[in-house]
């Protein structure tokens, strides 16, 4: 998807850069991941640490943040599942993390439950991306949000899918299962949430935008609001497929520090093979493709709580993103789905996305700003 998988890098156009980055990743891997932070007494106790098919290995304060943010480390058969032969990694299950940002003054016994925003990271990113000072800045951007922000790992090129195929090492991630069938119930079991679709939102940036739109269309019974920041909207354009193809060569099923230097995490084959490894047979793509989901009326329950943001409107910057988001906007108009579409001059960059997530939260909370962020003026009609 042009720039979508890399959240700011056009992988297919920058192979020399990619090779240098691969070497850097390998050197960092040799150095090892940072030490796990110690458990912080200020974080709330978890009444059901093993729930929803997840086994909790650690619940600790996020390094560099106050007691409002914690990291949950899980093992789950969804990451990874063996497929196609003897897996090259043993054990197949690899610990996976989720970062959780609590509202100020969070209380497990609060009379009024809290809404939950599931915030999905972009390609080449991880569960930390939305909280980094040079990226999502969530601790300041959403400091006043009266809800819980859940930032799960989704794979550097996981594409928020239960992979239909396998890696060269005979294993496959099941990210949709992890997020939808396991993590959502786990959050509801351990935090004071609304436990209903009215209190659940899903949003994401770049590859995570595609994931948010996918989840919203496939599981309207779970979410009441959806936001996409420079998100992917269509699997069919050649540029989108090239990006996904390249992401399988560079990252495959890698996430966080896992698999960056292991070729067995990658997927060897032509573009269609790699696409079908992630999304299943081409004949089934309309069931997961946002522009098709819109035409099929799958976003009808999001009236007034559907937001999308894209730069490139002036013919520069993320022009491919603009084209694909405009197509989704047109399909929503055709389906009479009331939504907020903000577009203007802009690139695939966090300096735009931080203001967009603020705008999205204000919009779904019932206090929308009259004009779009980034100086883009009124929403597109």
């Amino acid at each position: 998807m042009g720039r979508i998988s890399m959240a700011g890098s056009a992988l297919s156009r920058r192979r020399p850069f990619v090779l240098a980055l691969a070497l850097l990743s390998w050197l960092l891997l040799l150095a090892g991941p940072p030490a796990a932070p110690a458990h912080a007494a200020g974080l709330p106790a978890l009444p059901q640490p093993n729930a929803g098919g997840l086994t909790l290995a650690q619940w600790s304060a996020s390094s560099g943040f106050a007691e409002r943010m914690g990291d949950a480390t899980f093992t789950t058969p969804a990451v990874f599942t063996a497929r196609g032969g003897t897996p090259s990694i043993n054990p197949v299950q690899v610990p996976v993390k989720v970062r959780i940002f609590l509202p100020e003054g969070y209380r497990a016994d609060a009379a009024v439950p809290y809404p939950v925003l599931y915030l999905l990271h972009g390609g080449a990113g991880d569960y930390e991306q939305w909280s980094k000072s040079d990226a999502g800045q969530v601790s300041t951007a959403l400091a006043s949000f009266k809800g819980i922000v859940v930032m799960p790992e989704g794979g550097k090129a996981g594409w928020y899918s239960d992979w239909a195929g396998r890696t060269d090492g005979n294993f496959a991630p099941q990210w949709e299962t992890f997020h939808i069938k396991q993590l959502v119930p786990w959050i509801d079991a351990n935090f004071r949430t609304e436990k209903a679709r009215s209190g659940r939102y899903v949003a994401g940036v770049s590859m995570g935008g595609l994931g948010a739109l996918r989840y919203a269309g496939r599981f309207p019974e779970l979410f009441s609001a959806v936001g996409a920041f420079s998100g992917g909207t269509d699997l069919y354009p050649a540029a989108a497929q090239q990006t996904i193809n390249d992401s399988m060569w560079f990252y495959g099923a890698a996430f966080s520090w896992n698999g960056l230097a292991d070729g067995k995490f990658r997927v060897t084959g032509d573009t269609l093979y790699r696409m079908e490894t992630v999304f299943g047979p081409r004949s089934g793509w309309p069931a997961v493709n946002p522009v098709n989901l819109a035409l099929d009326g799958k976003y009808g329950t999001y009236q007034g709580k559907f937001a999308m943001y894209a730069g490139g409107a002036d013919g520069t910057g993320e022009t491919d993103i603009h084209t694909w988001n405009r197509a989704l906007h047109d399909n929503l108009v055709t389906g009479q789905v009331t939504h907020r579409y903000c577009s203007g001059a802009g690139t695939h960059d966090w300096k735009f996305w931080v203001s967009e997530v603020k705008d999205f939260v204000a919009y779904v909370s019932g206090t929308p700003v009259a004009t779009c962020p980034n100086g883009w003026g009124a929403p597109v009609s």
Side-chain angles (χ1 to χ4, degrees):
M1 298 186 170
R3 301 171 179 82
I4 292 171
S5 90
M6 306 310 296
S9 298
L11 180 59
S12 62
R13 306 185 189 106
R14 300 185 185 179
R15 290 188 183 275
F17 167 78
V18 165
L19 292 173
L21 184 57
L23 176 60
L24 176 60
S25 297
W26 180 75
L27 292 173
L28 289 172
L29 184 63
L30 290 180
H39 178 80
L43 291 174
L46 303 176
Q48 298 185 51
N50 301 324
L54 298 176
T55 300
L56 183 71
Q58 186 179 31
W59 171 231
S60 59
S62 305
S63 180
F65 293 93
E67 61 187 30
R68 288 178 61 185
M69 195 175 295
D71 293 339
T73 303
F74 303 102
T75 55
T76 165
V79 187
F80 297 103
T81 184
R83 181 171 296 152
T86 302
S88 64
I89 56 175
N90 185 22
V92 180
Q93 292 185 28
V94 180
V96 60
K97 292 190 174 185
V98 175
R99 180 157 286 182
I100 300 166
F101 183 47
L102 299 171
E104 186 174 9
Y106 170 83
R107 289 176 51 199
D109 62 346
V112 178
Y114 300 89
V116 182
L117 168 61
Y118 289 85
L119 198 52
L120 310 181
H121 67 75
D126 57 25
Y127 73 99
E128 296 181 302
Q129 189 180 56
W130 271 107
S131 58
K132 289 182 176 178
S133 60
D134 60 350
Q137 305 174 40
V138 71
S139 62
T140 54
L142 298 183
S144 60
F145 175 52
K146 306 300 184 184
I148 301 167
V149 183
V150 178
M151 297 163 278
E153 179 63 59
K156 293 188 179 299
W159 297 101
Y160 297 94
S161 176
D162 280 355
W163 285 24
R166 60 179 177 83
T167 65
D168 292 351
N170 296 323
F171 55 90
Q174 306 293 289
W175 290 114
E176 182 180 288
T177 291
F178 171 52
H179 296 141
I180 300 299
K181 296 181 180 179
Q182 297 179 334
L183 183 59
V184 169
W186 187 89
I187 292 294
D188 284 346
N190 286 285
F191 296 93
R192 181 67 175 176
T193 66
E194 290 191 25
K195 297 177 177 59
R197 71 175 298 271
S198 60
R200 287 194 207 99
Y201 318 144
V202 62
V205 62
S206 194
M207 180 184 80
L210 174 68
L213 294 169
R214 172 194 172 107
Y215 289 169
R218 285 173 56 76
F219 305 101
E221 72 280 7
L222 288 183
F223 304 104
S224 62
V226 57
F229 319 113
S230 297
T233 70
D234 196 349
L235 300 179
Y236 292 96
Q241 293 190 18
Q242 185 64 55
T243 296
I244 297 167
N245 173 77
D246 288 347
S247 75
M248 293 299 99
W249 164 75
F250 187 53
Y251 288 119
F255 69 91
S256 190
W257 298 90
N258 302 289
L260 289 175
D262 186 347
K264 295 298 184 180
F265 276 69
R266 296 180 175 83
V267 178
T268 301
D270 61 20
T271 299
L272 180 60
Y273 176 80
R274 286 168 162 171
M275 291 287 296
E276 292 189 332
T277 292
V278 179
F279 301 106
R282 184 183 177 95
S283 60
W285 293 356
V288 299
N289 198 41
V291 293
N292 294 101
L293 291 170
L295 288 175
D296 291 342
K298 300 300 184 181
Y299 297 125
T301 59
Y302 296 95
Q303 292 285 353
K305 288 196 173 184
F306 190 118
M308 47 196 295
Y309 305 80
D314 65 342
T316 64
E318 54 177 13
T319 54
D320 46 4
I321 301 293
H322 170 72
T323 298
W324 303 332
N325 275 260
R326 182 69 197 217
L328 177 56
H329 162 70
D330 290 343
N331 287 355
L332 291 170
V333 170
T334 298
Q336 298 183 325
V337 177
T338 303
H339 62 287
R340 183 174 177 87
Y341 176 37
C342 291
S343 185
T347 57
H348 211 66
D349 194 275
W350 285 101
K351 67 182 180 181
F352 298 97
W353 301 328
V354 172
S355 60
E356 290 167 12
V357 73
K358 292 181 185 178
D359 184 86
F360 169 71
V361 168
Y363 167 66
V364 300
S365 297
T367 57
V369 179
T371 58
C372 290
N374 307 319
W376 286 347
V380 180
S381 60

